[in-house]
Amino acid sequence: MKIDQVSDSVYVVAGTNVNWALVSDDRGVTVVDAGYPADTAAVLSSVSQIGHQLGDIAAVLVTHAHLDHIGAVPALVERAGVPVYTGAEEVRHAKREYLQQITPLQMVGQLGSRRGAVWVAQTLRACVGHIGMSVPTAVAADAETLAALPGGFVAVPTPGHTNGHTAYFMPSEGVLFSGDALVTGHPIARGTGLQLLPGVFNHDEAGTLASARSLADLGAEVLVPGHGLPIREDLPALLGAFARA
């Protein structure tokens, strides 16, 4: 686990090939995404490492309900009683009314490269015993609820990676939490920098690209992606170039 403070209020935590974020102000903490199931202890520890207790957590915001973004949610709900918010359509996905996620057969297909084989092994270890995880308490939050959370958020619908994928923008500090709509790296990707996840992860590739390009319109100054390093310099120009590519 590595914690990186990227703005006055925002801490990005790198876990098992995935990021979550903690947003801290005088109202408490908002957790954005929650790592793999095997990252649960690290998620809980990260809250204390930025000077808070679990009781300070106001809510968990979930960009989408893949296992690498909801892993610690059950523990946070059980131990802190926190509400879990996600996009209106993603609520159904979180409750597993349907599933849009890389399949076992597609994972086997990654074994043909060393990068892929390493990623598959790490992923299986991070998910073991929790493949059927869901988030039965997930609900959609209205604009007023999101704005009142520590940090103050605006939901940005970004369908494509999943039908209900939602990014979150924090206007007060210009921070964009892009989830998996737009990332800066992944263990099976060939390089780093602004990019989509490899197509095997995206339910709708064209929709993912359109959503990623639309993020340039927000005027964000800091990017917190679901995978890869945050970007704190020249982000408007980088997003603009990505949108025009």
Side-chain angles (χ1 to χ4, degrees), residues 17 19 28 59 64 72 93 110 134 138 156 170 173 183:
N17 298 325
N19 301 325
H64 64 294
H93 191 209
Q110 303 307 310
S134 65
V156 184
M170 185 178 154
E173 296 179 14
V183 302

Side-chain angles (χ1 to χ4, degrees), residues 111-199:
L111 297 175
S113 71
R114 184 180 184 281
R115 286 196 307 269
V118 170
W119 174 78
V120 168
Q122 291 171 338
T123 300
L124 291 177
R125 286 195 298 270
C127 294
V128 64
H130 300 279
I131 298 298
M133 176 182 288
S134 65
V135 186
T137 62
V139 296
D142 57 32
E144 292 76 16
T145 298
L146 291 176
L149 291 175
F153 296 86
V154 175
V156 184
T158 42
H161 181 65
T162 65
N163 285 351
H165 189 288
T166 302
Y168 298 97
F169 184 50
M170 185 178 154
S172 63
E173 296 179 14
V175 181
L176 172 61
F177 304 85
S178 61
D180 286 0
L182 184 63
V183 302
T184 63
H186 188 274
I188 70 169
R190 293 186 177 276
T192 59
L194 288 178
Q195 61 187 282
L196 303 187
L197 280 174

Side-chain angles (χ1 to χ4, degrees), residues 15 44 53-54 56 68 87 95 98 119 193 234:
L44 301 179
Q53 300 177 346
L54 294 184
D56 297 332
D68 55 338
K95 294 181 177 181
Y98 62 87
W119 174 78
D234 302 321

